[in-house]
Amino acid sequence: MRIGAIEAGGTKFICGIGNEKGEILDRISFPTDIPEPTLEQVVAYFRDKDIEAIGVGSFGPIDLDRSSLSYGQVTTTPKPGWTGFDFVGYMKRNFPVPIGFDTDVNAAVFGEAMWGAAKGLDSCVYYTIGTGVGVGVYAEGNLIHGLVHPEGGHVLTRRHPEDPFEGFCPYHGDCLEGMASGPAIEKRWGLKGSELPEDHLAWEMEGYYLAQAISGVILLLSPKKVILGGGVMHQKQLFPLIRKKVAKFLNGYVASPAILDDLENYIVSPGLGDNAGLCGALALGIEASSRQA
């Protein structure tokens, strides 16, 4: 099979061609603009690729309710021009093939469950920490949507004792995304995270906020693996900080060897690396093709 995959990020689009083994055979990327010029590039890329299905992992929020008149649309995003845009409808008008559509983080968690760090497990949670903070949930062998879809980047957080920062989220101020996203780090310290030294107080605070959220999701969903991706998590010193704080916050309450004795193999980086989102979109395309077979 030749499957088209789209990782539609708030900053850039990545398009690729892959197969049912999860192999990416070709790719292209370009900046995210307003909808029409962005998707014109998508259509031009796929036009001569002879694809049998397309999977889309999109920034959100998006409407994933198939019974809804606005299914396939981007909803309350702050990205100019995208609110109310019919993403799936646009793709269907150009490609009469099965189209799988989900959030970018649900795509990433799906890719990790199929071929990555959670392969063989029936549950895992994927956090991406970058321009925003998103959470994808795979539970009992299914992607979780619920009323809309998980928006775990906007859970409220307990403030770090040394942090006077007001928060960066335009909706909630000091939610997780408002305190721990890449732009929040830059706004707080006046430098990008990549420009801060490894022992900077920024990382202590970052670990504190992320560990709170992870501890909460462990208590709420009991995933069998927690995967942390995105640009901020390229700061590898964060992993031991987060694991240590998760252990402290849970305080022995979750009586599983994975939590008590093996956090290094429980809270991990993506097995697919930066390909998690694109491979996940590929998995969505494969699923859509199977569903319509």
Side-chain angles (χ1 to χ4, degrees):
M1 295 180 69
R2 286 176 63 83
I3 307 294
I6 303 171
E7 183 181 358
T11 303
K12 67 179 178 179
F13 266 55
I14 305 174
C15 299
I17 302 294
N19 59 30
E20 65 272 23
K21 298 177 184 178
E23 298 168 337
I24 303 296
L25 308 175
D26 186 61
R27 74 176 66 211
I28 189 174
S29 68
F30 42 84
T32 303
D33 198 345
I34 58 175
E36 283 77 7
T38 304
L39 291 181
E40 284 171 4
Q41 294 183 78
V42 173
V43 170
Y45 173 74
F46 286 124
R47 184 174 289 126
D48 62 352
K49 298 295 192 296
D50 195 27
I51 51 177
E52 300 170 58
I54 299 173
V56 181
S58 174
F59 66 87
I62 54 180
D63 188 344
L64 295 173
D65 181 358
R66 293 180 178 276
S67 66
S68 168
L69 293 176
S70 57
Y71 168 74
Q73 293 184 14
V74 182
T75 60
T76 55
T77 179
K79 284 207 67 65
W82 285 89
T83 297
F85 181 74
D86 187 2
F87 199 151
V88 170
Y90 186 99
M91 294 303 298
K92 282 186 173 180
R93 287 192 295 274
N94 286 277
F95 300 99
V97 298
I99 296 177
F101 184 63
D102 214 312
T103 64
D104 48 0
V105 278
N106 260 5
V109 79
F110 199 23
E112 287 294 320
M114 295 300 103
W115 303 298
K119 184 178 179 180
L121 302 179
D122 65 358
S123 75
C124 59
V125 171
Y126 183 101
Y127 280 81
T128 182
I129 305 101
T131 304
V133 178
V135 181
V137 179
Y138 184 73
E140 310 300 328
N142 293 290
L143 291 171
I144 299 302
H145 302 121
L147 182 66
V148 182
H149 49 73
E151 281 288 357
H154 293 271
V155 296
L156 301 180
T157 56
R158 188 182 293 173
R159 184 172 291 277
H160 189 282
E162 298 179 53
D163 192 4
F165 181 55
E166 67 275 13
F168 193 70
C169 175
Y171 288 94
H172 312 117
D174 58 356
C175 64
L176 180 64
E177 180 172 293
M179 302 304 280
S181 65
I185 294 171
E186 184 175 359
K187 178 77 171 178
R188 183 192 282 110
W189 301 108
L191 291 170
K192 293 182 181 296
S194 59
E195 298 171 335
L196 296 171
E198 289 187 8
D199 59 353
H200 195 280
L201 178 60
W203 307 121
E204 157 67 24
M205 290 183 179
E206 189 75 7
Y208 181 84
Y209 292 122
L210 293 174
Q212 281 186 64
I214 292 164
S215 298
V217 87
I218 290 169
L219 292 167
L220 184 64
L221 296 175
S222 196
K224 293 178 180 176
K225 190 81 74 173
V226 175
I227 304 165
L228 307 180
V232 171
M233 293 310 302
H234 289 165
Q235 302 289 330
K236 297 301 183 184
Q237 71 274 15
L238 276 171
F239 279 93
L241 281 170
I242 290 167
R243 294 177 187 127
K244 182 178 179 179
K245 291 180 186 301
V246 166
K248 179 181 178 182
F249 292 153
L250 294 177
N251 199 29
Y253 182 73
V254 181
S256 165
I259 305 294
L260 299 176
D261 305 317
D262 199 23
L263 277 174
E264 287 191 6
N265 291 308
Y266 180 72
I267 300 173
V268 299
S269 57
L272 298 171
D274 291 336
N275 283 331
L278 196 60
C279 286
L282 187 64
L284 291 173
I286 293 167
E287 182 186 55
S289 180
S290 298
R291 191 167 55 241
Q292 294 189 27

